[in-house]
Amino acid sequence: MELDQLKNIWDQENISETPEISTEKQKEIHLPLEKIRKNMRMEFWSTAIVFFLIILFFVFKDMHIFKFKVYVITLVSAQMLVTSFYFFKFFNLYKNLSSVNLNTADNLKDLGYQFKLNEQYYLSFYLSFVPFVVCEMLLIFEFTPSLKSIQGFDFILIFLGLCIFTLLLLYFVGIWWFKRYYGKYISQITQIKKNLKLI
């Protein structure tokens, strides 16, 4: 083929460009996005303060059983390591949300993928606390005199019942928290994307 024929074929093809998003729609998206950022800051600082207070409590509390104090401090430290990992991911999302460019449909789709990824991080974060909850229950039953006397089948029922109740509570609080502070704003952004016919 000659060069002119190739140019003609190229010109005849419909090359779809990435659709631009109007400034008005970008502003519409920025409002829920800013609320998500604000809630992320609030969650970060509130979690940091709670962990700091818990650490202070267990470090300075005079516990009669040294072994119990070592177990508790080790458990809380492990929880902090896991939480630090997830907050690192959380911080990366926060940075991405702060510098996101919403002028094309591809960028908006990428933002949707980031939200999905963050939702998965939330789920895995709460699942990662399952062994911690079980260990905490074991410590409570082992070092609380009134509970230590429970033996046999009663122990199994009460222990499993408390573990399941605590894990279900953690699960439902996690779902409620995500929907309340992030889910409704993500839904607003998704609705704007639908109105723009980008998804």
Side-chain angles (χ1 to χ4, degrees), residues 9-144:
I9 293 170
W10 180 266
D11 290 338
Q12 288 173 0
E13 285 187 12
N14 289 325
I15 301 168
S16 61
E17 293 181 8
T18 304
E20 293 277 327
I21 298 172
S22 69
T23 310
E24 181 184 300
K25 288 295 178 188
Q26 287 183 43
K27 287 179 184 173
E28 234 179 278
I29 294 168
H30 270 289
L31 184 63
L33 206 53
E34 189 51 45
K35 288 184 180 178
I36 289 172
R37 281 190 218 120
K38 181 183 171 191
N39 288 339
M40 289 175 88
R41 284 191 300 268
M42 180 269 305
E43 182 173 359
F44 175 78
W45 288 113
S46 61
T47 305
I49 289 168
V50 166
F51 264 117
F52 182 71
L53 292 174
I54 288 172
I55 290 166
L56 282 180
F57 175 77
F58 284 115
V59 167
F60 292 110
K61 181 168 172 46
D62 183 30
M63 297 179 194
H64 300 296
I65 306 167
F66 179 73
K67 194 188 275 188
F68 178 68
K69 187 172 185 172
V70 170
Y71 290 158
V72 168
I73 290 173
T74 304
L75 194 60
V76 170
S77 300
Q79 285 176 317
M80 283 184 60
L81 282 173
V82 169
T83 304
S84 299
F85 169 77
Y86 284 103
F87 268 111
F88 175 73
K89 298 294 186 184
F90 194 67
F91 180 70
N92 283 340
L93 176 67
Y94 179 81
K95 272 190 350 188
N96 289 343
L97 292 181
S98 300
S99 61
V100 72
N101 184 359
L102 298 172
N103 59 352
T104 65
D106 286 342
N107 293 346
L108 199 54
K109 285 178 184 174
D110 184 51
L111 181 66
Y113 295 135
Q114 288 185 47
F115 286 142
K116 291 273 185 212
L117 187 62
N118 192 46
E119 192 173 354
Q120 294 304 312
Y121 281 140
Y122 251 82
L123 177 64
S124 61
F125 176 69
Y126 283 101
L127 283 174
S128 71
F129 270 80
V130 170
F132 294 118
V133 169
V134 173
C135 289
E136 286 164 4
M137 289 297 169
L138 284 170
L139 286 176
I140 289 168
F141 273 85
E142 185 63 30
F143 291 99
T144 306

Side-chain angles (χ1 to χ4, degrees), residues 141-158:
F141 273 85
E142 185 63 30
F143 291 99
T144 306
S146 58
L147 294 174
K148 197 173 182 179
S149 61
I150 301 170
Q151 298 294 322
F153 191 67
D154 289 342
F155 171 78
I156 294 170
L157 279 179
I158 294 169

